[in-house]
Amino acid sequence: KAWPKVIKAIEIAGTFEGPHYGVGFVVTAENYPEIVTACTIAKNAGAAYIRVGAMFSRRFLPLISRQIVRATSTASASVKCA
């Protein structure tokens, strides 16, 4: 329900001159397949970068890593991992 409003706010922020802004994405076991989609939406809306933070165990790291690499190449996005 809230996502269209969030995306619209990102698009509006992208029209302002001044400091660049970014989008944060917290990765969980449930949403890690959505990293590429989130990065693409953020990039298309004008975000300068996407900060990816993760809540995971060591066994989950390879899955997240692959998705981040894919997001970077697919969305041509600047992805910062936190």
Side-chain angles (χ1 to χ4, degrees), residues 25-32 35 51-66 68 81-82:
F25 186 91
V26 177
V27 182
T28 66
E30 292 79 26
N31 72 0
Y32 81 90
I35 294 172
R51 183 193 48 79
V52 177
M55 297 174 55
F56 59 86
S57 66
R58 289 187 188 271
R59 66 177 173 57
F60 189 54
L61 184 59
L63 295 173
I64 292 172
S65 297
R66 284 194 295 273
I68 290 171
C81 298

Side-chain angles (χ1 to χ4, degrees), residues 39-57:
C39 289
T40 301
I41 290 169
K43 182 70 175 179
N44 290 343
Y49 64 91
I50 298 96
R51 183 193 48 79
V52 177
M55 297 174 55
F56 59 86
S57 66

Side-chain angles (χ1 to χ4, degrees), residues 10-17 21 45:
I10 295 168
E11 290 170 345
I12 291 169
T15 65
F16 298 139
E17 290 186 33
Y21 72 95

Side-chain angles (χ1 to χ4, degrees), residues 7 10-11 23 25 33-47 49-50 67 70-79:
I7 294 167
I10 295 168
E11 290 170 345
V23 173
F25 186 91
E34 298 170 11
I35 294 172
V36 173
T37 301
C39 289
T40 301
I41 290 169
K43 182 70 175 179
N44 290 343
Y49 64 91
I50 298 96
Q67 288 295 321
R70 193 168 156 235
T72 303
S73 61
T74 301
S76 298
S78 172
V79 178

